[in-house]
């Protein structure tokens, strides 16, 4: 079977972001240093949190015409040679950054904010690897939302990690001035 028609997991050579895009969306997964990693679908608690945070963010960003909010395993190229393409649950990208992105394929420009919702099968070593990749490629903030503990952990380059519990209000003054949402609302 040729590489153009093989599924990502059937090929032995290192893949590129272009190869992964060519394979299409038939198999959910990520490209990590040129190797395809199959990822099972998420459960309904994950989906509920994902849509809640995307809706809150979308309403805020749209009202102020700041950029775009995207969700549903948005492909972000975090490394090249070998390529890594991560699938983020929710992203916000400003108009300024989006203007520099390619018009088709995965995001080749770092979004301003990446939000990952923790699934039961996620390992913290892998989550921490993703956080580092996102920040290293230029993402301004990463939020890790854990439905089990009902906490949000916020990471930014060269700042202290901020932890928000279910009774707190999450803000992002450096990134989204005036944005504020009760953490509890993300899990409802």
């Amino acid at each position: 079977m040729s590489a153009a028609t093989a599924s990502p997991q059937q090929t032995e050579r290192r893949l590129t972001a272009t190869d992964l895009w060519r394979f299409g969306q038939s198999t959910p997964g990520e490209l990590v240093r040129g190797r395809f990693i199959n990822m099972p679908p998420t459960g309904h608690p994950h989906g509920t949190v994902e849509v809640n945070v995307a809706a809150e963010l979308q309403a805020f960003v749209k009202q102020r015409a700041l950029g775009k909010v995207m969700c549903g395993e948005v492909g972000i190229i975090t490394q090249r040679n070998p390529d890594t393409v991560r699938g983020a649950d929710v992203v916000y990208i400003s108009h300024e950054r989006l203007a520099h992105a390619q018009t088709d394929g995965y995001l080749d420009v770092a979004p301003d904010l990446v939000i990952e919702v923790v699934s039961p099968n996620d390992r913290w070593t892998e989550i921490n690897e993703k956080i580092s990749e996102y920040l290293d490629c230029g993402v301004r903030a990463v939020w890790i939302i854990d439905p089990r503990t009902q906490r949000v952990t916020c990471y930014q380059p060269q700042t202290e990690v901020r932890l928000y519990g279910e009774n707190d209000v999450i803000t992002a003054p450096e990134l989204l001035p005036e944005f504020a949402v009760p953490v509890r609302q993300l899990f409802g």
Side-chain angles (χ1 to χ4, degrees):
M1 192 178 284
S2 74
T5 59
S7 68
Q9 61 269 45
Q10 292 174 320
T11 185
E12 293 297 319
R13 69 179 177 83
R14 290 197 185 262
L15 300 171
T16 66
T18 303
D19 295 331
L20 186 64
W21 181 256
R22 209 174 318 140
F23 286 127
Q25 305 299 319
S26 61
T27 304
E30 295 180 327
L31 189 64
V32 180
R33 291 176 290 288
R35 301 280 181 216
F36 182 80
I37 307 297
N38 190 23
M39 300 185 77
T42 62
H44 67 86
H46 182 285
T48 299
V49 172
E50 186 175 323
V51 76
N52 288 348
V53 71
E56 292 290 340
L57 199 55
Q58 171 67 8
F60 181 86
V61 168
K62 186 175 183 179
Q63 181 182 30
R64 290 159 181 81
L66 299 174
K68 290 201 179 253
V69 174
M70 304 170 210
C71 64
E73 298 301 317
V74 178
I76 303 166
I77 300 170
T78 61
Q79 296 176 342
R80 290 284 193 181
N81 299 319
D83 290 0
T84 296
V85 178
R86 295 296 189 171
D89 293 320
V90 180
V91 302
Y92 156 67
I93 185 166
S94 63
H95 288 303
E96 294 87 350
R97 287 187 178 210
L98 192 56
H100 299 286
Q102 63 188 7
T103 57
D104 198 18
Y106 303 117
L107 278 176
D108 60 341
V109 172
D112 296 86
L113 172 64
V114 169
I115 300 169
E116 292 283 356
V117 180
V118 178
S119 296
N121 60 336
D122 284 342
R123 294 188 180 116
W124 279 101
T125 54
E126 294 167 353
I127 293 169
N128 288 329
E129 184 178 341
K130 283 185 179 186
I131 294 166
S132 293
E133 284 178 29
Y134 289 139
L135 295 175
D136 288 347
C137 80
V139 173
R140 293 176 58 196
V142 178
W143 296 355
I144 304 298
I145 301 178
D146 190 341
R148 189 180 56 78
T149 62
Q150 296 202 349
R151 291 186 179 159
V152 179
T153 309
C154 301
Y155 301 84
Q156 291 179 276
Q158 303 165 349
T159 63
E160 286 188 29
V161 174
R162 286 185 275 173
L163 179 65
Y164 295 89
E166 63 182 308
N167 296 318
D168 295 326
V169 174
I170 191 167
T171 61
E174 316 83 18
L175 186 62
L176 300 164
E178 300 177 25
F179 178 81
V181 64
V183 171
R184 177 176 278 121
Q185 206 164 301
L186 302 178
F187 302 101

